[in-house]
Amino acid sequence: MTGAADKARAIIESYDGPALRIMEVCGTHTHEIFRLGIRGLLPPQVRLISGPGCPVCVTPPGFIDEAVMLGLEHDVTVCTFGDLVRVPGTDMSLAGARSKGARVQVVYSPLDAVDYARDHASEQVTFLSVGFETTTPANCLAVERADAAGLGNFSLLTANKTMPQAYQALKGSADAFLYPGHVCAITGTRAEEDLVGQGVSGVVCGFTAPEIMCALAIILRRSQEGRPFFANAYPRVVTREGNKGAQGLVARLMEPCDATWRGLGEIPGSGMRLRDAYAAYDARRKFDLPHVEGRSNPACRCGDVLRGACTPHDCPLFGKVCTPQHPVGACMVSGEGACSAYYQYGGEQL
Protein backbone atom coordinates (compact mmCIF):
# COMPACT_ATOMS: atom_id res chain seq x y z
CA MET A 1 0.00 0.00 0.00
CA THR A 2 1.27 3.47 -0.84
CA GLY A 3 2.11 6.09 1.77
CA ALA A 4 -0.88 8.16 0.68
CA ALA A 5 -3.17 5.17 1.13
CA ASP A 6 -1.72 4.47 4.58
CA LYS A 7 -2.40 8.09 5.54
CA ALA A 8 -5.92 7.90 4.09
CA ARG A 9 -6.64 4.70 6.00
CA ALA A 10 -5.47 6.33 9.24
CA ILE A 11 -7.79 9.30 8.62
CA ILE A 12 -10.73 6.98 7.90
CA GLU A 13 -10.21 4.70 10.88
CA SER A 14 -9.62 7.55 13.34
CA TYR A 15 -12.58 9.67 12.23
CA ASP A 16 -14.64 10.78 15.22
CA GLY A 17 -16.64 13.59 13.59
CA PRO A 18 -20.38 13.87 13.00
CA ALA A 19 -22.48 11.36 11.08
CA LEU A 20 -21.98 11.47 7.32
CA ARG A 21 -23.83 10.02 4.34
CA ILE A 22 -21.58 9.53 1.31
CA MET A 23 -23.16 8.49 -1.98
CA GLU A 24 -20.99 6.39 -4.28
CA VAL A 25 -22.71 7.43 -7.51
CA CYS A 26 -20.97 4.93 -9.77
CA GLY A 27 -21.91 1.26 -9.79
CA THR A 28 -18.27 0.31 -10.33
CA HIS A 29 -17.40 2.19 -7.13
CA THR A 30 -20.14 0.31 -5.28
CA HIS A 31 -18.76 -3.05 -6.34
CA GLU A 32 -15.09 -2.11 -5.79
CA ILE A 33 -15.78 -0.75 -2.31
CA PHE A 34 -17.48 -4.02 -1.41
CA ARG A 35 -14.85 -6.20 -3.10
CA LEU A 36 -11.94 -4.39 -1.46
CA GLY A 37 -13.53 -4.52 1.99
CA ILE A 38 -13.40 -0.73 2.40
CA ARG A 39 -16.79 -0.61 4.13
CA GLY A 40 -15.22 -2.56 6.97
CA LEU A 41 -12.77 0.31 7.59
CA LEU A 42 -15.42 2.97 8.05
CA PRO A 43 -16.50 4.13 11.50
CA PRO A 44 -20.16 3.43 12.31
CA GLN A 45 -21.29 7.05 11.86
CA VAL A 46 -20.13 7.08 8.22
CA ARG A 47 -22.70 5.55 5.91
CA LEU A 48 -22.15 4.73 2.25
CA ILE A 49 -25.21 5.03 0.02
CA SER A 50 -25.43 3.53 -3.44
CA GLY A 51 -26.65 6.00 -6.05
CA PRO A 52 -27.96 6.12 -9.65
CA GLY A 53 -24.69 5.61 -11.51
CA CYS A 54 -25.47 2.27 -13.14
CA PRO A 55 -26.73 3.00 -16.67
CA VAL A 56 -28.78 -0.19 -16.91
CA CYS A 57 -30.38 0.40 -13.49
CA VAL A 58 -31.65 3.91 -14.27
CA THR A 59 -33.06 2.94 -17.67
CA PRO A 60 -36.84 3.10 -17.21
CA PRO A 61 -39.28 0.29 -18.11
CA GLY A 62 -40.72 2.40 -20.94
CA PHE A 63 -37.37 2.23 -22.78
CA ILE A 64 -37.42 -1.57 -22.64
CA ASP A 65 -41.02 -1.45 -23.90
CA GLU A 66 -39.87 0.63 -26.87
CA ALA A 67 -37.09 -1.86 -27.65
CA VAL A 68 -39.55 -4.76 -27.42
CA MET A 69 -41.89 -2.87 -29.74
CA LEU A 70 -39.10 -2.43 -32.29
CA GLY A 71 -38.31 -6.13 -32.21
CA LEU A 72 -41.83 -7.55 -32.26
CA GLU A 73 -43.85 -4.94 -34.18
CA HIS A 74 -41.32 -3.37 -36.56
CA ASP A 75 -39.19 -6.44 -37.35
CA VAL A 76 -36.06 -4.58 -36.25
CA THR A 77 -32.91 -6.38 -35.12
CA VAL A 78 -32.18 -4.99 -31.67
CA CYS A 79 -28.46 -4.78 -30.87
CA THR A 80 -27.62 -4.29 -27.21
CA PHE A 81 -25.17 -4.88 -24.41
CA GLY A 82 -25.96 -8.14 -22.63
CA ASP A 83 -27.07 -6.55 -19.33
CA LEU A 84 -30.14 -4.98 -20.93
CA VAL A 85 -31.51 -8.27 -22.26
CA ARG A 86 -32.95 -9.34 -18.89
CA VAL A 87 -34.09 -5.92 -17.62
CA PRO A 88 -37.86 -6.11 -17.15
CA GLY A 89 -40.16 -3.90 -19.17
CA THR A 90 -43.83 -3.45 -18.40
CA ASP A 91 -44.89 -6.83 -19.79
CA MET A 92 -41.64 -8.52 -20.78
CA SER A 93 -37.89 -8.17 -21.15
CA LEU A 94 -35.92 -8.39 -24.37
CA ALA A 95 -35.26 -12.02 -23.46
CA GLY A 96 -39.01 -12.52 -23.44
CA ALA A 97 -39.32 -10.76 -26.78
CA ARG A 98 -36.62 -13.00 -28.19
CA SER A 99 -38.60 -16.06 -27.10
CA LYS A 100 -41.50 -14.68 -29.14
CA GLY A 101 -39.39 -14.33 -32.26
CA ALA A 102 -37.70 -10.92 -31.97
CA ARG A 103 -34.10 -10.74 -33.21
CA VAL A 104 -31.96 -9.57 -30.25
CA GLN A 105 -28.23 -9.43 -30.94
CA VAL A 106 -25.77 -8.95 -28.06
CA VAL A 107 -22.78 -6.79 -29.05
CA TYR A 108 -19.73 -5.50 -27.20
CA SER A 109 -19.71 -1.98 -28.64
CA PRO A 110 -21.89 0.33 -30.74
CA LEU A 111 -19.43 -0.13 -33.60
CA ASP A 112 -20.19 -3.87 -33.55
CA ALA A 113 -23.80 -2.93 -34.24
CA VAL A 114 -22.69 -0.81 -37.21
CA ASP A 115 -20.73 -3.79 -38.54
CA TYR A 116 -23.80 -5.98 -38.07
CA ALA A 117 -25.93 -3.50 -40.03
CA ARG A 118 -23.34 -3.41 -42.82
CA ASP A 119 -23.25 -7.24 -43.01
CA HIS A 120 -27.07 -7.61 -42.87
CA ALA A 121 -28.29 -5.05 -45.34
CA SER A 122 -31.76 -6.59 -45.55
CA GLU A 123 -32.41 -5.97 -41.83
CA GLN A 124 -33.19 -2.74 -39.99
CA VAL A 125 -30.77 -2.59 -37.03
CA THR A 126 -31.20 -0.48 -33.87
CA PHE A 127 -28.57 -0.17 -31.14
CA LEU A 128 -29.84 0.53 -27.61
CA SER A 129 -27.88 3.64 -26.70
CA VAL A 130 -27.81 3.87 -22.90
CA GLY A 131 -25.27 5.21 -20.46
CA PHE A 132 -23.70 8.42 -19.24
CA GLU A 133 -21.09 10.81 -20.57
CA THR A 134 -18.59 7.96 -20.65
CA THR A 135 -20.38 5.90 -23.29
CA THR A 136 -22.22 8.58 -25.26
CA PRO A 137 -19.19 9.48 -27.46
CA ALA A 138 -18.95 5.88 -28.71
CA ASN A 139 -22.64 5.95 -29.62
CA CYS A 140 -22.11 9.18 -31.58
CA LEU A 141 -19.07 7.65 -33.28
CA ALA A 142 -21.27 4.74 -34.39
CA VAL A 143 -23.70 7.15 -36.06
CA GLU A 144 -20.83 8.96 -37.77
CA ARG A 145 -19.46 5.65 -39.08
CA ALA A 146 -22.90 4.54 -40.30
CA ASP A 147 -23.43 7.91 -41.98
CA ALA A 148 -20.04 7.80 -43.66
CA ALA A 149 -20.75 4.28 -44.90
CA GLY A 150 -24.19 5.27 -46.18
CA LEU A 151 -25.96 2.70 -44.01
CA GLY A 152 -29.66 3.45 -44.19
CA ASN A 153 -30.54 0.46 -42.01
CA PHE A 154 -28.84 1.61 -38.78
CA SER A 155 -30.32 3.68 -35.94
CA LEU A 156 -30.05 4.40 -32.22
CA LEU A 157 -32.75 4.16 -29.56
CA THR A 158 -31.36 6.72 -27.14
CA ALA A 159 -31.56 6.82 -23.35
CA ASN A 160 -28.25 8.62 -22.77
CA LYS A 161 -28.06 10.66 -19.60
CA THR A 162 -25.89 13.33 -18.01
CA MET A 163 -24.91 13.35 -14.36
CA PRO A 164 -24.84 16.98 -13.09
CA GLN A 165 -28.63 17.30 -13.16
CA ALA A 166 -28.91 14.04 -11.20
CA TYR A 167 -26.60 15.43 -8.51
CA GLN A 168 -28.90 18.42 -8.21
CA ALA A 169 -31.97 16.17 -8.04
CA LEU A 170 -30.31 14.12 -5.30
CA LYS A 171 -29.23 17.15 -3.28
CA GLY A 172 -30.11 16.39 0.31
CA SER A 173 -29.92 12.62 -0.17
CA ALA A 174 -26.25 12.62 0.86
CA ASP A 175 -23.73 14.90 2.54
CA ALA A 176 -21.15 14.33 -0.20
CA PHE A 177 -20.78 12.47 -3.50
CA LEU A 178 -18.01 10.22 -4.72
CA TYR A 179 -18.00 11.51 -8.30
CA PRO A 180 -17.30 8.89 -10.98
CA GLY A 181 -13.80 9.43 -12.34
CA HIS A 182 -14.51 8.01 -15.80
CA VAL A 183 -17.39 10.47 -16.34
CA CYS A 184 -15.24 13.40 -15.24
CA ALA A 185 -12.45 12.20 -17.54
CA ILE A 186 -14.78 13.07 -20.42
CA THR A 187 -16.59 16.11 -19.05
CA GLY A 188 -13.89 17.70 -16.91
CA THR A 189 -14.77 19.04 -13.49
CA ARG A 190 -16.35 22.44 -14.09
CA ALA A 191 -19.92 21.22 -13.52
CA GLU A 192 -19.00 19.56 -10.22
CA GLU A 193 -17.06 22.65 -9.14
CA ASP A 194 -20.09 24.82 -9.90
CA LEU A 195 -22.28 22.59 -7.72
CA VAL A 196 -20.37 23.82 -4.66
CA GLY A 197 -22.21 27.12 -5.08
CA GLN A 198 -25.48 25.18 -4.74
CA GLY A 199 -24.36 23.51 -1.54
CA VAL A 200 -23.37 20.21 -3.16
CA SER A 201 -20.09 18.62 -2.00
CA GLY A 202 -18.10 15.85 -3.64
CA VAL A 203 -14.75 14.40 -4.62
CA VAL A 204 -13.76 12.91 -7.99
CA CYS A 205 -12.67 9.35 -7.28
CA GLY A 206 -10.60 6.77 -9.16
CA PHE A 207 -11.06 3.03 -8.98
CA THR A 208 -8.04 1.52 -7.19
CA ALA A 209 -8.03 0.88 -3.44
CA PRO A 210 -5.64 3.79 -2.68
CA GLU A 211 -7.68 6.16 -4.88
CA ILE A 212 -10.98 5.25 -3.25
CA MET A 213 -9.56 5.52 0.27
CA CYS A 214 -7.93 8.88 -0.51
CA ALA A 215 -11.23 10.24 -1.84
CA LEU A 216 -13.09 9.06 1.26
CA ALA A 217 -10.43 10.53 3.54
CA ILE A 218 -10.72 13.89 1.77
CA ILE A 219 -14.49 13.86 2.31
CA LEU A 220 -14.09 13.07 6.00
CA ARG A 221 -11.54 15.87 6.45
CA ARG A 222 -13.27 18.53 4.35
CA SER A 223 -16.73 17.80 5.78
CA GLN A 224 -15.53 18.95 9.18
CA GLU A 225 -14.81 22.42 7.77
CA GLY A 226 -18.56 23.03 7.72
CA ARG A 227 -18.91 24.35 4.15
CA PRO A 228 -19.48 22.78 0.69
CA PHE A 229 -16.35 21.59 -1.09
CA PHE A 230 -14.98 19.99 -4.23
CA ALA A 231 -11.73 18.08 -4.83
CA ASN A 232 -10.24 16.03 -7.63
CA ALA A 233 -8.66 12.90 -6.15
CA TYR A 234 -8.12 11.34 -9.59
CA PRO A 235 -5.73 13.87 -11.20
CA ARG A 236 -3.76 11.24 -13.14
CA VAL A 237 -6.81 10.85 -15.41
CA VAL A 238 -9.20 13.76 -14.78
CA THR A 239 -8.47 17.35 -15.80
CA ARG A 240 -10.58 20.45 -15.37
CA GLU A 241 -11.18 20.67 -19.13
CA GLY A 242 -11.90 16.98 -19.80
CA ASN A 243 -11.69 15.31 -23.20
CA LYS A 244 -12.33 18.05 -25.77
CA GLY A 245 -12.44 15.61 -28.67
CA ALA A 246 -15.18 13.51 -27.08
CA GLN A 247 -17.11 16.62 -26.01
CA GLY A 248 -16.96 18.00 -29.55
CA LEU A 249 -18.15 14.75 -31.10
CA VAL A 250 -21.17 14.59 -28.79
CA ALA A 251 -22.01 18.28 -29.31
CA ARG A 252 -22.02 17.82 -33.11
CA LEU A 253 -24.44 14.90 -33.07
CA MET A 254 -26.54 15.29 -29.93
CA GLU A 255 -28.40 17.91 -27.92
CA PRO A 256 -29.80 17.96 -24.36
CA CYS A 257 -33.35 16.85 -23.67
CA ASP A 258 -35.48 15.93 -20.67
CA ALA A 259 -35.01 12.33 -19.52
CA THR A 260 -36.80 9.85 -17.30
CA TRP A 261 -34.69 8.00 -14.73
CA ARG A 262 -35.87 4.88 -12.97
CA GLY A 263 -36.48 5.95 -9.40
CA LEU A 264 -35.83 9.65 -9.95
CA GLY A 265 -38.57 10.40 -12.50
CA GLU A 266 -38.14 13.03 -15.18
CA ILE A 267 -35.14 15.32 -14.72
CA PRO A 268 -35.15 18.35 -17.07
CA GLY A 269 -32.12 18.59 -19.34
CA SER A 270 -30.57 15.33 -18.11
CA GLY A 271 -30.83 13.38 -21.36
CA MET A 272 -29.19 13.44 -24.79
CA ARG A 273 -30.88 12.89 -28.16
CA LEU A 274 -29.73 13.03 -31.76
CA ARG A 275 -29.96 16.42 -33.47
CA ASP A 276 -32.37 16.97 -36.36
CA ALA A 277 -29.52 16.61 -38.84
CA TYR A 278 -29.21 12.98 -37.72
CA ALA A 279 -32.95 12.22 -37.46
CA ALA A 280 -32.56 9.38 -39.96
CA TYR A 281 -30.56 7.53 -37.29
CA ASP A 282 -33.08 8.17 -34.48
CA ALA A 283 -35.19 5.02 -34.07
CA ARG A 284 -38.07 6.88 -32.40
CA ARG A 285 -38.49 9.17 -35.40
CA LYS A 286 -37.57 6.56 -38.00
CA PHE A 287 -40.24 4.11 -36.80
CA ASP A 288 -42.64 6.74 -35.43
CA LEU A 289 -42.73 5.12 -31.99
CA PRO A 290 -45.52 6.33 -29.69
CA HIS A 291 -44.70 7.70 -26.24
CA VAL A 292 -44.47 4.78 -23.82
CA GLU A 293 -44.76 5.42 -20.08
CA GLY A 294 -43.91 1.94 -18.79
CA ARG A 295 -44.59 0.43 -15.37
CA SER A 296 -42.30 -1.27 -12.87
CA ASN A 297 -43.21 -4.21 -10.66
CA PRO A 298 -44.92 -2.40 -7.73
CA ALA A 299 -43.19 -4.64 -5.17
CA CYS A 300 -39.69 -3.85 -6.51
CA ARG A 301 -37.84 -1.05 -4.66
CA CYS A 302 -35.10 -0.41 -7.23
CA GLY A 303 -36.28 3.19 -7.48
CA ASP A 304 -35.84 3.75 -3.74
CA VAL A 305 -32.42 2.05 -3.83
CA LEU A 306 -31.28 4.34 -6.65
CA ARG A 307 -32.32 7.43 -4.64
CA GLY A 308 -30.50 6.18 -1.57
CA ALA A 309 -33.84 6.06 0.25
CA CYS A 310 -33.36 2.43 1.27
CA THR A 311 -30.87 -0.41 0.95
CA PRO A 312 -31.52 -3.55 -1.06
CA HIS A 313 -32.16 -5.40 2.21
CA ASP A 314 -35.25 -3.21 2.71
CA CYS A 315 -36.86 -4.57 -0.45
CA PRO A 316 -39.22 -7.50 0.26
CA LEU A 317 -38.12 -9.22 -2.95
CA PHE A 318 -34.35 -9.01 -2.36
CA GLY A 319 -32.67 -12.41 -2.09
CA LYS A 320 -36.00 -14.20 -2.10
CA VAL A 321 -37.77 -13.98 -5.43
CA CYS A 322 -35.21 -11.48 -6.80
CA THR A 323 -31.75 -13.00 -7.28
CA PRO A 324 -29.06 -12.69 -10.00
CA GLN A 325 -30.39 -15.91 -11.52
CA HIS A 326 -34.00 -14.67 -11.49
CA PRO A 327 -33.88 -10.85 -11.26
CA VAL A 328 -37.07 -8.87 -10.77
CA GLY A 329 -35.46 -5.41 -10.74
CA ALA A 330 -32.83 -3.75 -12.91
CA CYS A 331 -30.48 -3.25 -9.92
CA MET A 332 -30.19 -7.03 -9.61
CA VAL A 333 -29.76 -7.61 -13.35
CA SER A 334 -26.80 -5.37 -13.93
CA GLY A 335 -23.28 -6.31 -12.93
CA GLU A 336 -22.94 -2.70 -11.68
CA GLY A 337 -26.23 -2.69 -9.77
CA ALA A 338 -26.45 -2.04 -6.03
CA CYS A 339 -28.70 -5.06 -5.43
CA SER A 340 -26.26 -7.25 -7.32
CA ALA A 341 -23.38 -5.95 -5.13
CA TYR A 342 -25.29 -6.45 -1.88
CA TYR A 343 -26.29 -9.96 -2.95
CA GLN A 344 -22.75 -10.88 -4.00
CA TYR A 345 -20.89 -9.39 -1.03
CA GLY A 346 -23.41 -9.60 1.80
CA GLY A 347 -24.43 -5.95 2.02
CA GLU A 348 -23.97 -3.98 5.18
CA GLN A 349 -22.87 -7.03 7.15
CA LEU A 350 -19.43 -6.22 5.72
Side-chain angles (χ1 to χ4, degrees):
M1 187 175 291
T2 66
D6 287 336
K7 184 178 178 182
R9 177 169 182 163
I11 291 171
I12 293 170
E13 293 184 321
S14 64
Y15 178 77
D16 62 355
L20 280 179
R21 301 164 300 160
I22 302 171
M23 180 173 282
E24 77 266 7
V25 177
C26 172
T28 303
H29 278 151
T30 298
H31 277 257
E32 282 302 285
I33 287 169
F34 271 120
R35 188 182 70 81
L36 295 167
I38 292 175
R39 282 175 176 258
L41 302 178
L42 298 173
Q45 71 270 39
V46 177
R47 181 184 170 209
L48 288 178
I49 304 169
S50 299
C54 159
V56 171
C57 302
V58 298
T59 299
F63 179 82
I64 301 299
D65 296 344
E66 291 179 303
V68 168
M69 191 182 302
L70 285 172
L72 290 180
E73 299 180 20
H74 294 273
D75 195 32
V76 169
T77 299
V78 177
C79 287
T80 177
F81 296 133
D83 278 3
L84 275 176
V85 173
R86 295 196 302 159
V87 174
T90 300
D91 296 319
M92 72 179 80
S93 64
L94 283 168
R98 184 162 54 189
S99 73
K100 293 180 179 295
R103 294 188 302 276
V104 178
Q105 187 73 24
V106 173
V107 295
Y108 294 100
S109 83
L111 296 182
D112 289 345
V114 175
D115 290 342
Y116 184 93
R118 183 197 59 216
D119 296 340
H120 299 78
S122 63
E123 299 177 18
Q124 285 292 327
V125 177
T126 295
F127 177 72
L128 303 188
S129 177
V130 303
F132 303 106
E133 292 92 335
T134 317
T135 53
T136 300
N139 300 330
C140 291
L141 183 61
V143 171
E144 269 203 342
R145 291 278 180 87
D147 193 45
L151 296 180
N153 65 330
F154 178 80
S155 59
L156 298 182
L157 183 64
T158 57
N160 300 83
K161 294 178 172 59
T162 52
M163 290 305 302
Q165 296 84 358
Y167 301 141
Q168 291 174 311
L170 287 164
K171 181 181 176 182
S173 298
D175 298 301
F177 292 105
L178 275 182
Y179 292 131
H182 45 13
V183 167
C184 293
I186 300 296
T187 64
T189 61
R190 292 180 184 275
E192 287 75 11
E193 293 176 45
D194 289 344
L195 287 172
V196 172
Q198 301 176 41
V200 178
S201 297
V203 173
V204 180
C205 182
F207 298 92
T208 67
E211 287 165 345
I212 293 171
M213 287 200 297
C214 285
L216 289 171
I218 291 171
I219 289 176
L220 299 188
R221 277 281 177 89
R222 297 288 298 275
S223 292
Q224 296 184 77
E225 296 173 359
R227 58 181 182 271
F229 60 88
F230 166 82
N232 178 9
Y234 197 28
R236 70 184 176 91
V237 173
V238 173
T239 65
R240 190 161 193 253
E241 302 303 324
N243 185 322
K244 291 288 189 181
Q247 293 169 20
L249 173 63
V250 172
R252 282 199 306 276
L253 272 73
M254 288 190 169
E255 61 186 1
C257 63
D258 298 343
T260 300
W261 299 55
R262 187 187 297 264
L264 278 66
E266 183 171 296
I267 302 178
S270 68
M272 299 296 290
R273 65 185 176 197
L274 287 167
R275 294 185 180 278
D276 288 344
Y278 294 92
Y281 299 96
D282 183 335
R284 288 191 183 89
R285 287 188 266 189
K286 186 173 188 176
F287 299 102
D288 194 24
L289 296 183
H291 175 73
V292 180
E293 198 64 46
R295 298 187 310 278
S296 299
N297 184 320
C300 172
R301 298 195 65 185
C302 273
D304 293 331
V305 171
L306 291 167
R307 290 198 309 276
C310 77
T311 73
H313 289 296
D314 297 319
C315 176
L317 307 183
F318 178 77
K320 301 180 179 72
V321 297
C322 184
T323 66
Q325 292 74 33
H326 301 285
V328 175
C331 298
M332 186 64 88
V333 174
S334 172
E336 294 186 5
C339 294
S340 168
Y342 272 68
Y343 188 90
Q344 183 174 351
Y345 296 106
E348 293 186 334
Q349 284 84 359
L350 285 180

